[in-house]
Amino acid sequence: MSRKLTRDEFLREIFRDYDTRGDKDHLRIVRIRVPGREVSLAHLVGSSQKEVYQTLGLHIGVHEGEDHTGDTLGFLKFTPWESTVVAADIAVKNGGVEIGFMDRFCGALILTGNHAEVRSAIEGVVAFFREELHFPVCEITES
């Protein structure tokens, strides 16, 4: 029976061939932020299943006990990451949506609501970033 690796052991194993300093006891991982500004993802997922929104954690915290089965989920990704705050404000003003998740440290925003409202919110966000802030924006996609 194999034992479970610790986090440090796992990382050392993965990166053992990449250590050029010869110091196997210390591993340093650096997260690099690339300057730029863009909306790199604007996607709608129609009729979410219970497993989907629970895996995303959309039923905990301030959304404790909420049932988002059948809701449309809207996913947006921004650079710089702080743009997420502006996008969330624009989204709730352009559609009757709830903010399922917002991370200003990685630029992720998840919206929930009925299909027409989530689409309206995403269209409003993308239009604002394109026309007012002059960001390069991606196409709105849907599945």
Side-chain angles (χ1 to χ4, degrees), residues 41-136:
L41 174 69
H43 185 76
L44 286 92
V45 175
S47 299
S48 70
Q49 301 298 314
K50 187 173 189 171
E51 296 80 17
V52 173
Y53 75 79
Q54 286 184 341
T55 300
L56 292 169
L58 300 178
H59 67 300
I60 59 175
V62 297
H63 300 286
E64 182 91 32
E66 292 180 7
D67 183 1
H68 295 282
T69 302
D71 279 0
T72 293
L73 303 176
F75 297 90
L76 294 145
K77 181 83 169 99
F78 303 91
T79 306
W81 305 325
E82 299 84 2
S83 303
T84 307
V85 177
V86 175
D89 178 57
I90 300 299
V92 298
K93 290 176 178 173
N94 279 279
V97 296
E98 288 188 41
I99 298 172
F101 176 78
M102 178 176 76
D103 187 345
R104 69 182 191 274
F105 300 110
C106 74
L109 178 63
I110 301 175
L111 305 171
T112 64
N114 75 47
H115 186 80
E117 297 293 333
V118 173
R119 176 165 274 291
S120 176
I122 288 180
E123 287 172 349
V125 169
V126 170
F128 180 82
F129 275 78
R130 180 182 52 246
E131 295 162 16
E132 299 296 325
L133 300 178
H134 307 290
F135 273 40

